[in-house]
Amino acid sequence: MAEYFPAINVKNSWQKNLAVLIDHVKSNTFPDLLIEYLATLCHFDTALTVTYKKSFKPIILQPLDPAEQSKTLISYINNGYYLLDPLFNAVQKGISGVVRVAEIAPDSFQQSEFFENCYQYFNIVDEIVLIIDLSDEVTCTISLGRQPDLGTITRGELRALQEIYPVVSALYRQFWSTQFGQYVQYEQSDDATKQALKSFGSGVLTQRERQITELVVKGNSSQAIADQLNISVGTVKVHRKNIHAKMHTSNQSELFNLFLDHLKSVT
């Protein structure tokens, strides 16, 4: 049976809309209502709420209905593309708050295999994310995607999200404390998948080459890799040449496809 709940009214004052959220903070309708509330503060075309937990695949909280989940989203979760997502890596680094993916993505993100094989099919030109720590182990991300017709987010919209972030964070933690049990059924152990990037090339590449390979697969340019590892660009290029020789690949695309094969073999 479908469950009905009162929709957020864009014409109401923000206090009344917030009151609706508070009334439903212990209900499974809260994630959908929150998206409706955020729509009164910021324009977006797509919305996705996911939780990340160590040793587990991400869990989709919204949209929960599989019929509303695109093929690209399902591939993102089930095929391990999330491992290459700048947002996933930001969560692993403990970043929280309101961020734009463009600001946390590697410098060659649009040339990365992750972008070309997965992200571009979301048809998003700007993605704004509320990253919320729900507990010591679980982090929630609320991604608001803007497609070409909307363009990039305005300063006013971004400021509105930043101002409401502390309230949204507190409410989501309240929701999670009472509702997390219903999502346990979706948890899938993912120790092997998370080790795929670390073990890729094991026995063939040196430790430094494997470190650089991971950064290459994630879409970092030679300059970005050099900056992160505090080595010269020339040294990175030499390592990349050696990596391709040892892995029998000739470009980043072939290396990425080889990684996907490795990912499937360990999951």
Side-chain angles (χ1 to χ4, degrees):
M1 179 179 294
E3 186 169 6
Y4 297 94
F5 52 86
I8 298 293
N9 188 341
V10 70
K11 295 182 181 180
N12 281 344
S13 67
W14 69 268
Q15 293 96 333
K16 289 183 178 180
N17 287 333
L18 189 59
V20 173
L21 279 181
I22 294 173
D23 282 342
H24 292 79
V25 73
K26 296 183 178 180
S27 167
N28 58 12
T29 62
F30 177 77
D32 288 320
L33 278 172
L34 178 58
I35 296 302
E36 291 188 28
Y37 175 73
L38 294 177
T40 68
L41 305 175
C42 172
H43 292 93
F44 51 87
D45 296 296
T46 65
L48 173 66
T49 305
V50 173
T51 61
Y52 295 94
K53 178 181 178 180
K54 293 182 179 179
S55 300
F56 291 90
K57 286 186 177 180
I59 296 176
I60 300 173
L61 302 189
Q62 185 283 327
L64 195 57
D65 185 352
E68 298 178 17
Q69 299 172 6
S70 68
K71 291 182 179 180
T72 302
L73 176 58
I74 294 172
S75 177
Y76 171 84
I77 299 292
N78 294 337
N79 293 338
Y81 281 112
Y82 68 89
L83 287 166
L84 311 179
D85 187 353
L87 177 57
F88 173 80
N89 289 289
V91 170
Q92 302 309 304
K93 293 177 181 177
I95 295 175
S96 61
V98 181
V99 303
R100 294 177 63 206
V101 168
E103 296 174 351
I104 60 174
D107 58 346
S108 296
F109 179 56
Q110 292 193 355
Q111 285 73 51
S112 70
E113 295 303 313
F114 167 65
F115 182 90
E116 294 185 359
N117 287 274
C118 181
Y119 192 83
Q120 68 168 321
Y121 296 109
F122 288 116
N123 193 30
I124 294 173
V125 298
D126 199 6
E127 183 179 2
I128 306 89
V129 188
L130 284 72
I131 305 178
I132 303 168
D133 292 326
L134 300 180
S135 69
D136 291 339
E137 291 188 323
V138 181
T139 299
C140 170
T141 64
I142 306 171
S143 300
L144 310 177
R146 293 167 69 102
Q147 296 178 341
D149 286 345
L150 273 182
T152 58
I153 189 171
T154 67
R155 291 183 179 179
E157 290 174 315
L158 186 59
R159 183 169 57 252
L161 293 177
Q162 292 170 336
E163 290 175 348
I164 201 64
Y165 172 81
V167 177
V168 170
S169 299
L171 290 176
Y172 227 109
R173 282 190 285 270
Q174 288 295 314
F175 162 77
W176 188 251
S177 69
T178 60
Q179 296 293 319
F180 74 92
Q182 69 170 306
Y183 299 102
V184 173
Q185 60 180 309
Y186 301 109
E187 288 188 344
Q188 300 178 41
S189 182
D190 198 36
D191 290 312
T193 303
K194 288 193 174 184
Q195 290 301 314
L197 281 169
K198 300 295 183 182
S199 62
F200 182 49
S202 179
V204 178
L205 305 177
T206 65
Q207 183 177 356
R208 175 63 93 184
E209 288 169 345
R210 285 162 58 190
Q211 188 179 26
I212 290 175
T213 298
E214 179 178 345
L215 293 172
V216 169
V217 169
K218 290 179 179 179
N220 291 277
S221 67
S222 293
Q223 182 63 62
I225 294 172
D227 292 341
Q228 290 187 52
L229 301 182
N230 196 28
I231 57 180
S232 71
V233 175
T235 299
V236 173
K237 290 181 178 179
V238 170
H239 279 305
R240 293 183 71 156
K241 182 179 180 179
N242 292 337
I243 289 166
H244 284 307
K246 292 180 178 181
M247 301 299 287
H248 304 290
T249 56
S250 59
N251 53 51
Q252 184 177 344
S253 180
E254 291 180 3
L255 188 64
F256 181 78
N257 289 329
L258 196 62
F259 166 72
L260 289 183
D261 290 338
H262 173 68
L263 179 63
K264 293 175 183 177
S265 72
V266 299
T267 56

